[in-house]
Amino acid sequence: MPRLSLSLVAALGMAAPGQAADLAAAGEQTDDIIVSGRAGKLYRTDTTEIGRGAADPLDIPQSVQILTADLIRDQGARDITDLYRNVAGVSASQYATVTYRGFRQDGSFYDGLRGDPFQGFAVPSLFSIERVEFLKGPVGMLYGASAPGGMINYVTKKPLDHFAASLRAIGGNFSRYGASGEVTGPLDTDGVFAGRLGAFYENLHTIQTNSRSQSFVADGGLATRLGPDTKLTTQLTHFRQHLPGRFRGIPLDANGDFAADRTWNHLEPTDFSKLNGTVAQARLDHKASDALSFNLSSRWFRYREHQEYHEPRPVTDSDGDGILDTVPREYRSQRYDIEGVTVVGTVTATFDTGPLRHTITAGGDWYWQRSQLDSIAVRAGVSSLSLQDPVYGQTSRADYDFSTGTPERADTRSHRYGVYAQDQIDIGRFIFVGGVREDWFDDSDPAAGQPREAGRRTSWRTGAIYKPMKRVSLYASYSQSFEPQSPSSQNPAVGGPFAPVASQQVEAGVKGEFLGGALQPTLAVYRIVRRGIVQADPDLPPVNGVDQLSPVGEVTSKGVEATLAADITRDWVVTANYAYNDARITDSAPGAAIDNSVGGRFPNAPQHQAGLWSRYQVRRLDAAIALGGQYVSSQLARSGTRMHGFTIFDASITKSLGFADVMVRVENIFDKAYATSAFDARRGAFVGRARTVFVELRRDF
């Protein structure tokens, strides 16, 4: 059995867009725990389809960062929140939501397809994920309606045409235990069929009282070769998450500190959130010739989420001493039923016209989603909870009269479809890219009395790349995206309908590799302007007693991002990243505020982020050690309170035992108490992970 490659610290600074040295030419062993050029070889992907066609990241005129399977494995990452620190310009917001170049973003893509089954309190598991790709900036021309900061694309694991299998077991503090196994390979001697099966389970408590998570994933796939150049891949994934006590945060005081010990929680032992979901996916690939190929793919998902929990209300002063010390609560019972399906077709053609090499990518996509919510909130008879001396277990669901509650129902239907075409022209040292897309969309919510609202939008993307050397790209680009207005803002009674919120970005940068891949820097500068945000306009007189809206809101985000991967010596590898972002309101209705903004700025959007990871291999011991750190500057909560910045460190050691590898990992070495992000004043700030130690035993076959 080949020995596994080493672990990496929970670190940051993954410079995935950097390109690798050719280790095979250097005679290195890439299947040993002792591997030189690790950042250049194992943490890099030289082909991605995030631009709607297979391409080298160096040939994409936007910032691209890719977190590979080796990085995921070496960091011991279990869900996507473990990886944000590796990506310049991306930070945690709420659950699976991120702040991306200054903008809040939720919803992700899978293999380039819409259909995110983690839209509530749940967080995506990484067990069935091969790599995670980040395309930064507006992507409307490629993917239609989307947030301005960029997109996150999960590339799922597919059946392989050769045998491979792995077993993992993990144990650690906070009652952490779990195991996983997967196997893949050919199913017949002719190589027509290949399959994959896998299962994952993990239990983990947190430092907060009544808080833990249980995750289970079962995943399978079948690849069928229908002909020499035709392949059909089908996949089925089922997942369950049980998340008692991982809903809200801890209130902050005026100084930005937690108003209670970080073990405090507003939830009772019986509160829960249960998620059950299933995803089915298929993709047909056909290569008609070296110059023409196409693929057709589809994704269906459905998940049900049931939540019953105590929701915090604004903090109060219970004894009149001027100190906010008690959290009133209400009890919520919520059931979500969400189903969606998407179909995408893409054609790629390559041909020459004189000295110009054209790569034409064209296609279309269609998406439908229905989201149903049945909720009720009860306040009568729900007890409060002290911040300093909480007593749990004194109340439960059985004590509440739901006839006094406030019900809420929603039945939102969303429909998206579009067509696009893009031409990439190669001529000598230059690459030029240009594309256009037309989108149609409609939304409705019959349960809320909101009729169907429809619209359309045209999106453009242009870019140019100059290669002064073969593995160096200087690029500049212009890109657009849009987001349909909410159905409530489209009502003619409030002045609607309105055109979608529109975003545009100008970006320039450099990415490449030097010294045979030993030095891999990337640098990007950008400016994003988001216009057409609907606001209540005090300059407009009410109509029939209803305030009128105007699409006058504007936000501008400017920033710089840099990453570096370097093989300092044969045994020493360092990666680092830094991001600066300044996002603020640049236009608004007089006296009005843009949603979620605080004094012209936005919450959970740090101006500075940095990460460093350093790994050194000890050949004589057949082991490797790693040390990493993460810095995030201060950031605002929605309440206007400024949360403190934080710096945390992590370390790991990996040792080959011959029959298997063992990794020992410590996160937050100095057990720093910190907030990662925040809600508003009553729902508080999320608590950063306390010092966590775990041991993972793993064997690959």
Side-chain angles (χ1 to χ4, degrees):
M1 180 197 74
R3 288 175 293 175
L4 295 177
S5 48
L6 95 89
S7 74
L8 136 77
V9 72
L12 336 122
M14 179 54 214
Q19 305 302 307
D22 187 346
L23 298 184
E28 300 294 347
Q29 299 292 323
T30 60
D31 61 347
D32 199 352
I33 196 172
I34 304 300
V35 180
S36 294
R38 182 167 178 78
K41 179 66 176 179
L42 295 181
Y43 295 155
R44 165 212 176 239
T45 297
D46 57 10
T47 301
T48 174
E49 291 191 356
I50 200 167
R52 286 295 199 193
D56 188 321
L58 281 179
D59 297 341
I60 298 175
Q62 282 181 249
S63 181
V64 178
Q65 201 162 345
I66 300 173
L67 309 184
T68 67
D70 297 285
L71 172 67
I72 294 171
R73 178 191 62 199
D74 288 352
Q75 287 192 340
R78 292 311 197 264
D79 65 50
I80 187 58
T81 61
D82 295 325
L83 296 178
Y84 294 149
R85 61 175 55 191
N86 299 289
V87 187
V90 172
S91 59
S93 182
Q94 302 158 15
Y95 313 112
T97 302
V98 299
T99 300
Y100 207 147
R101 288 191 167 180
F103 298 97
R104 180 185 175 186
Q105 173 171 321
D106 51 14
S108 301
F109 290 74
Y110 290 76
D111 296 311
L113 305 173
R114 293 185 186 274
D116 185 3
F118 300 96
Q119 300 178 25
F121 291 162
V123 176
S125 166
L126 296 173
F127 171 69
S128 60
I129 301 302
E130 180 68 23
R131 64 181 185 269
V132 187
E133 304 175 325
F134 296 80
L135 178 58
K136 300 180 181 181
V139 295
M141 184 252 119
L142 296 170
Y143 294 95
S146 53
M151 72 167 292
I152 301 175
N153 181 51
Y154 296 91
V155 179
T156 60
K157 295 178 180 178
K158 312 293 194 303
L160 302 178
D161 57 9
H162 61 273
F163 174 79
S166 68
L167 294 173
R168 301 284 189 273
I170 188 172
N173 63 340
F174 293 109
S175 301
R176 187 172 195 170
Y177 59 88
S180 67
E182 54 189 315
V183 60
T184 184
L187 301 179
D188 65 323
T189 56
D190 296 328
V192 175
F193 299 99
R196 179 183 177 275
L197 286 175
F200 166 90
Y201 173 81
E202 187 166 284
N203 177 87
L204 173 65
H205 289 230
T206 78
I207 195 170
Q208 289 183 268
T209 304
N210 303 327
S211 176
R212 68 184 190 275
S213 66
Q214 296 172 317
S215 297
F216 171 77
V217 181
D219 186 51
L222 177 67
T224 306
R225 194 160 294 281
L226 303 177
D229 299 303
T230 306
K231 184 178 181 180
L232 175 65
T233 304
T234 56
Q235 298 165 264
L236 184 66
T237 304
H238 178 74
F239 51 87
R240 296 199 303 267
Q241 287 190 3
H242 187 199
L243 305 172
R246 296 187 68 182
F247 299 162
R248 309 301 191 195
I250 298 176
L252 298 172
D253 62 22
N255 297 319
D257 297 312
F258 290 125
D261 187 83
R262 59 176 170 164
T263 61
W264 187 89
N265 199 338
H266 62 92
L267 301 173
E268 295 292 332
T270 54
D271 291 355
F272 65 85
S273 176
K274 296 179 180 179
L275 174 72
N276 283 273
T278 301
V279 177
Q281 188 169 301
R283 172 165 168 156
L284 177 68
D285 288 276
H286 177 69
K287 183 178 180 181
S289 67
D290 290 340
L292 181 65
S293 63
F294 75 85
N295 63 72
L296 180 66
S297 53
S298 181
R299 177 179 175 88
W300 170 87
F301 77 94
R302 184 175 187 180
Y303 77 87
R304 295 180 174 90
E305 192 167 3
H306 181 197
Q307 303 158 359
E308 297 207 359
Y309 66 99
H310 289 77
E311 172 78 4
R313 305 300 305 164
V315 185
T316 62
D317 175 7
S318 64
D319 53 14
D321 62 359
I323 299 175
L324 300 176
D325 57 7
T326 301
V327 177
R329 299 179 296 175
E330 65 182 37
Y331 190 78
R332 293 185 178 181
S333 176
Q334 301 178 155
R335 293 180 183 270
Y336 293 89
D337 188 348
I338 299 181
E339 181 178 13
V341 62
T342 187
V343 179
V344 176
T346 302
V347 177
T348 302
T350 303
F351 59 89
D352 297 328
T353 57
L356 307 181
R357 166 57 60 95
H358 297 266
T359 301
I360 302 289
T361 304
D365 48 62
W366 177 90
Y367 179 68
W368 172 88
Q369 177 177 304
R370 181 176 183 179
S371 304
Q372 296 176 289
L373 167 66
D374 192 353
S375 172
I376 190 167
V378 180
R379 296 187 184 180
V382 181
S383 63
S384 300
L385 195 66
S386 168
L387 283 171
Q388 305 305 323
D389 187 23
V391 179
Y392 299 100
Q394 303 299 306
T395 185
S396 71
R397 186 185 199 278
D399 301 323
Y400 307 138
D401 181 2
F402 283 86
S403 66
T404 65
T406 303
E408 178 185 358
R409 295 197 65 193
D411 186 6
T412 304
R413 290 91 179 281
S414 299
H415 189 199
R416 309 275 186 270
Y417 56 98
V419 293
Y420 67 94
Q422 175 181 274
D423 188 8
Q424 175 179 309
I425 302 173
D426 293 66
I427 176 171
R429 295 178 181 269
F430 291 91
I431 299 175
F432 299 97
V433 175
V436 63
R437 177 186 174 105
E438 191 73 14
D439 276 286
W440 295 263
F441 55 87
D442 61 76
D443 299 282
S444 64
D445 187 350
Q450 296 172 350
R452 175 178 175 271
E453 296 292 346
R456 62 187 294 176
R457 187 76 183 184
T458 303
S459 302
W460 297 86
R461 177 176 182 248
T462 60
I465 298 172
Y466 171 65
K467 290 190 170 183
M469 295 186 293
K470 183 178 180 180
R471 302 303 297 167
V472 176
S473 295
L474 304 175
Y475 72 91
S477 64
Y478 170 82
S479 56
Q480 297 179 333
S481 67
F482 73 94
E483 300 162 276
Q485 304 283 0
S486 65
S488 61
S489 299
Q490 298 292 68
N491 194 325
V494 297
F498 299 101
V501 178
S503 301
Q504 58 185 21
Q505 173 186 265
V506 177
E507 178 180 330
V510 58
K511 37 188 169 179
E513 62 180 38
F514 301 91
L515 304 177
L519 188 64
Q520 304 168 19
T522 70
L523 176 67
V525 295
Y526 63 87
R527 182 176 186 268
I528 303 172
V529 180
R530 185 171 181 249
R531 295 189 176 98
I533 302 170
V534 170
Q535 299 176 264
D537 192 340
D539 289 341
L540 295 178
V543 176
N544 296 323
V546 178
D547 290 338
Q548 298 298 286
L549 306 180
S550 290
V552 295
E554 178 186 279
V555 177
T556 300
S557 173
K558 298 178 289 186
V560 179
E561 297 169 355
T563 65
L564 174 68
D567 295 329
I568 297 177
T569 70
R570 179 181 176 85
D571 298 316
W572 187 12
V573 176
V574 173
T575 67
N577 71 62
Y578 168 76
Y580 167 80
N581 174 264
D582 181 21
R584 62 182 67 207
I585 297 171
T586 48
D587 196 9
S588 179
I594 291 178
D595 186 35
N596 292 333
S597 66
V598 180
R601 305 191 71 89
F602 290 87
N604 303 324
Q607 282 193 294
H608 302 275
Q609 300 169 255
L612 176 69
W613 170 70
S614 179
R615 168 194 170 272
Y616 187 80
Q617 57 192 24
V618 185
R619 293 174 179 270
R620 289 179 300 174
L621 300 179
D622 202 10
I625 56 176
L627 177 67
Q630 178 189 21
Y631 166 73
V632 176
S633 68
S634 63
Q635 48 189 323
L636 290 174
R638 289 188 192 177
S639 62
T641 302
R642 181 164 292 277
M643 296 179 289
H644 302 297
F646 61 88
T647 303
I648 55 174
F649 296 94
D650 310 88
S652 63
I653 182 169
T654 300
K655 178 73 172 70
S656 174
L657 304 178
F659 67 93
D661 286 351
V662 62
M663 177 178 70
V664 180
R665 179 169 171 74
V666 183
E667 299 175 343
N668 193 0
I669 294 174
F670 300 106
D671 200 23
K672 182 177 180 60
Y674 65 99
T676 59
S677 59
F679 274 105
D680 51 22
R682 67 182 178 87
R683 289 176 286 191
F686 288 103
V687 179
R689 185 174 297 172
R691 179 167 54 226
T692 302
V693 182
F694 68 84
V695 178
E696 183 180 65
L697 187 68
R698 55 200 190 193
R699 177 168 181 172
D700 285 3
F701 301 87

